[in-house]
Amino acid sequence: MPTQEPPGQLLQRAISIKTTNHDEFLRIVAQLHQVADNLPVDEQWALRYLEAWQAAFDGSESKAFSALRTIADQAPDPALRLRALATMVNISGFAHRYEEGFIQLNRMTELLPQVSDVDARYAAIGEAAQFLVISHHYEQAIEAANEMLQNVPPDKNACHATYFKLHALFQSGSTQLTPVQLQQGVDLCIAGGDAVYANALRTDLATLHLQKGHAEDAIHLLEEHYAEVQGFKFPGLMQYFNVLLANGYFAQGDMPKARKFALATIEGKVEDAYSEPLRQAYELLYRIENRLGHAREALTYHEKYMEVDKGYLNDVNASALAYESIKQQVLAKRTQVDTLNRQNQILQLQRQLDHKAMETSRLYIALLLTVLASIAFWLLRIKRSQMRFKRLATQDSLTHICSRQHFVDEAEQILRQAARGTRSACLVLMDLDHFKLVNDTHGHVIGDLVLKRAVAACQQHLHSNDIFGRLGGEEFAILFPDCSARQALDRADRIRQAIAATPLWGETRHVVISASFGIACTDRSGYELRQLMIDADNALYQAKRDGRNRVVYGDDMDAATGEAVTHEAIHSERLADLPH
């Protein structure tokens, strides 16, 4: 129905309701199109922004990004340029283009002081908070959310700011977050009419229920709002609902429903995108088929899980590298500007030598040369910092052995060399037994000490050309070059005995360390690291199932057994970083 509302007011209303009442938003945009040629220049730019935002919402990211870049560079209104940059940050985050996102975030931060529009500032800081959560920088995301909470516009409630803070706390693993806080956030968003953000918080609340063993509460919460989320047509949120329901039903032992919702998670994925729900879905399907004894189907899902897990972990690493890269670039740029300014001052002083006493001039020049030397020193420190960051990327921060990705890179190179010379090599996968129980009983400080002691025990029996890496948690891998299967069994068993002979004292009782080992060799598995990992993983699973604290090699399952520990066997997935 036609309205008498002026175009300027329509534009502002469309901007404010684009996530809360999308149908009304589309109606307003269509109405403004009819009078677009008669709008003032600044309102035409605002309409272009709404069209670009809608393109991004529809999934046309390249079209949206191109239009938003033009607006950010050329629009006369700083507030509109800020909104365009913020939307570019949002698109970059969800598209996992982290370096581009940090570049636009830096531009947005520089523009903020020029913008007085409180709504535009609030929205921009919100996009920054969301991007920082997506890129795993939770402390910075919490800081942005706190800034939002201190500057909520009069016509809004604090739903978005509260969501970003609670979600960042949840993702960071904060032990201070409670179900009550999350429910209060849900209630706040419902009061503000923002059902999308309310249901996003419900996924965190359901996850917390599952972590505490309350699967029934999680299922009830998700089922109650499932149809509502389906109506949003928001694939990312729907993925979380599906995979959480799959995990809930799996915890209750309902395999058909667990499989149904895990498959729904996969069917709803965005093309060529890696996500935490997708990773969980493939892992869960592997566990379901494995529990049902369907070995072939389990292996298929396990391979999918490995592929997605590698993509997800590479994505996490890419966000960290992008952050450090842009931070170093910004710092270097500022330092270069300071250097040019100092050089200009020196030139000006030199021109004034004829008008000042020689001794005074020399003093000024010496002072400025000192400043230049200081700047050169800082540039050197920046370069060293960059080199240090590259070194850290190849080393596990706790144990100081190879990181997951560095181990894979080194192992593949050695296997290629071994294949050319038809030399044998063996891969050993090692998993500390009942490590979660150590953490739960004695705390993470003792858990970290157990990991360090186990690594030290291993290193006493390694050769200089062996590759030793931490795959994650309590899971490790060793590649023995130029080693036969029998030699690998003997060496792995010596390592097993060394670990078992490394006792610790926890806070309350004696801590006994033991480890299980699975071995695969090139004489049976070939020279592809991926196949070696699969065979060694199967052997390790057999070692766990047979009682732990033992070494198992290949299909023969020949075991060198120490003192057995009787607990239910657990098959950990540790094949995340293999190439496909």
Side-chain angles (χ1 to χ4, degrees), residues 106-215:
N106 184 56
R107 290 182 64 192
M108 193 181 80
T109 304
E110 292 175 349
L111 182 60
L112 265 172
Q114 304 175 32
V115 177
S116 58
D117 185 325
V118 293
D119 288 329
R121 290 174 59 87
Y122 184 77
I125 298 170
E127 296 292 13
Q130 180 160 271
F131 175 76
L132 289 166
V133 171
I134 293 172
S135 60
H136 316 286
H137 292 83
Y138 304 120
E139 290 185 11
Q140 296 94 323
I142 293 169
E143 290 176 7
N146 283 332
E147 184 175 351
M148 293 177 71
L149 288 168
Q150 295 169 9
N151 298 279
V152 179
D155 60 334
K156 299 182 185 299
N157 77 354
C159 166
H160 290 193
T162 301
Y163 165 75
F164 292 133
K165 182 171 183 177
L166 292 176
H167 189 56
L169 284 168
F170 178 80
Q171 291 294 328
S172 69
S174 172
T175 57
Q176 301 175 354
L177 191 62
T178 66
V180 173
Q181 290 174 291
L182 288 168
Q183 186 58 54
Q184 289 172 346
V186 170
D187 296 340
L188 182 66
C189 289
I190 291 173
D194 204 321
V196 172
Y197 278 77
N199 280 296
L201 278 172
R202 286 185 179 114
T203 64
D204 290 346
L205 181 55
T207 305
L208 203 58
H209 285 323
L210 289 172
Q211 290 173 352
K212 293 179 180 294
H214 303 154

Side-chain angles (χ1 to χ4, degrees), residues 352-374:
Q352 296 171 7
L353 282 176
D354 293 338
H355 307 286
K356 294 184 178 181
M358 183 65 69
E359 290 300 322
T360 302
S361 299
R362 286 176 179 173
L363 179 62
Y364 280 125
I365 292 173
L367 178 62
L368 286 171
L369 286 173
T370 302
V371 172
L372 281 175
S374 300

Side-chain angles (χ1 to χ4, degrees), residues 429-439 442 446-447 449-455 457-458 473-476 492-504 510-518 540 543-551 560-568 570 572 574:
L429 293 184
M430 180 185 87
D431 188 289
L432 297 185
D433 297 326
H434 304 297
F435 182 72
K436 184 178 185 300
L437 183 62
V438 173
N439 269 339
H442 303 284
I446 295 298
L449 184 57
V450 165
L451 291 172
K452 291 178 181 178
R453 291 287 179 86
V455 166
C458 292
E474 70 275 22
E475 304 158 6
F476 299 86
D493 196 54
R494 285 198 295 271
I495 292 172
R496 180 191 64 77
Q497 294 177 38
I499 292 173
T502 309
L504 289 172
H510 189 242
V511 180
V512 178
I513 312 173
S514 69
S516 300
F517 297 76
L540 176 56
K544 290 281 187 181
R545 189 166 59 189
D546 289 347
R548 298 182 173 85
N549 191 20
R550 63 192 61 230
V551 180
T561 308
E563 182 180 354
V565 182
T566 58
H567 279 282
E568 180 184 358
I570 301 172
S572 298
R574 53 189 55 76

